[in-house]
Amino acid sequence: MEVQSIDDFIEQILNEKGITDVSPDVREQLKEEMKTRLMDQINKAAVMQLSEEKAVELANMVDDPNFTDEKMTEFMKNSGVDLVQVTLDTMLRFRGLYLGTES
């Protein structure tokens, strides 16, 4: 199965929703807003999958001013959370909610 890029995914949702007759600037702004929302939802879903011990460890790490996005990515990769599955599940939920097909 080919993993779709977030940008392509958002583009596909907009097309399925029928949002094709807006100016390129408006469409680009809409895509950026949707991408931000989706990434926030993916990040939240990943954090919610952490074990209690890992959640405490992460909470302690984020207080460190030297805790970078790269360190966060590395922590999540080594946390035991299936990030690919969390991402796919979140993308499907996002699509369903946006298109009104979520049951």
Side-chain angles (χ1 to χ4, degrees), residues 32-80:
E32 285 303 313
E33 289 172 7
M34 289 175 67
K35 184 176 180 177
T36 298
R37 284 190 198 126
L38 176 57
M39 294 306 298
D40 287 347
Q41 289 178 19
I42 291 170
N43 291 336
K44 182 179 177 184
V47 169
M48 296 302 291
Q49 292 293 313
L50 291 172
S51 67
E52 187 175 335
E53 298 81 25
K54 287 288 185 183
V56 169
E57 186 179 340
L58 178 60
N60 291 331
M61 293 172 73
V62 296
D63 291 336
D64 182 349
N66 297 318
F67 187 65
T68 62
D69 287 342
E70 291 80 21
K71 289 181 181 178
M72 175 65 159
T73 300
E74 190 64 30
F75 176 84
M76 291 305 295
K77 284 181 182 177
N78 296 321
S79 69

